[in-house]
Amino acid sequence: MTSQLDCQYWNNRYRNADTGWDIGYAAPPLTSYFDQLTDKNKRILIPGCGNGYEVAYLLENGFQNITVIDIAPALTEMLSQKFAPHAGKELTIYTGDFFEHSGVYDLIIEQTFFCALNPTLRSCYVEKMHELLSPGGKLVGLLFNRDFQGGPPFGGSREEYEPLFSQKFSKGSMEPCYNSIPPRRDAELFIQMEK
Ligand SMILES: C[S@@+](CC[C@H](N)C(=O)[O-])C[C@H]1O[C@@H](n2cnc3c(N)ncnc32)[C@H](O)[C@@H]1O
């Protein structure tokens, strides 16, 4: 396993265009979820946001309060240019470590961020997500339901995740995802955890 999954590691992955996780468009399970939201003022956070396809989708659909945080400055510099008309308005872009972020959000979106972290951080991830959510706020997104050799990504299973998330979240669901992209078919769980 790569020992230091730090800022330099992720920055180099972007600088070297070594971004095998990047699907090139907003993931259908997430866009379907966004499509049924009526409150466009929800405070939405996307940690480890990558190239921001979900951000573009949210902006196109009128969402007014989106925040992203990513540890790789090479990426966030690119995002600042890509989303220049929205930055500082509907969209706030932070460069930094999710675990040091503070704020309050109604909705936090997960996609290949959990699996990018060293598995020793999983309890901290759950605690931090819970801390960042408003009462009634939700963590929604996708977790891999399969193993990988080495990592990142680091996989797992519903059997592992349920006790982990139930440490902080008493309400929620974790179901096989029915509309994953083809390479991830039958290998993802769609999660909704409510604070
Ligand atoms: C596997 S990529 C996924 C990117 C995006 N979610 C996607 O699906 O395309 C993981 C992302 O998390 C970011 N990241 C890793 N550790 C982080 C941390 N501690 N805080 C914030 N971002 C982090 C990386 O820079 C990278 O952009």
Side-chain angles (χ1 to χ4, degrees), residues 45-66:
L45 174 68
I46 310 184
C49 60
N51 279 306
Y53 307 111
E54 285 76 24
V55 174
Y57 189 88
L58 288 166
L59 288 169
E60 280 160 21
N61 285 279
F63 286 86
Q64 297 293 315
N65 198 337
I66 308 158

Side-chain angles (χ1 to χ4, degrees), residues 5-7 9-11 13-14 19-25 27 30 46-54 69-73 75 94-100 109-118 121 144 152-153 184:
L5 297 175
D6 56 8
C7 163
Y9 171 86
W10 290 106
N11 218 35
R13 297 279 308 243
Y14 284 104
T19 55
W21 59 80
D22 188 323
I23 66 173
Y25 54 94
L30 297 177
I46 310 184
C49 60
N51 279 306
Y53 307 111
E54 285 76 24
I69 179 165
D70 202 287
I71 206 166
L75 172 75
Y94 289 113
T95 308
D97 186 346
F98 163 75
F99 293 99
E100 291 170 12
I109 298 300
E110 166 57 49
Q111 178 172 236
T112 64
F113 175 55
F114 177 88
C115 71
L117 300 170
N118 189 313
L121 292 172
F144 280 117
R184 298 179 187 171

Side-chain angles (χ1 to χ4, degrees), residues 84-97:
H86 301 282
K89 297 177 195 155
E90 302 95 330
L91 175 63
T92 304
I93 301 172
Y94 289 113
T95 308
D97 186 346

Side-chain angles (χ1 to χ4, degrees), residues 164-179:
L164 182 70
F165 281 86
S166 66
Q167 287 168 18
K168 291 304 272 186
F169 293 93
S170 53
K171 278 170 83 179
S173 62
M174 193 173 276
E175 299 297 333
C177 184
Y178 70 89
N179 54 354

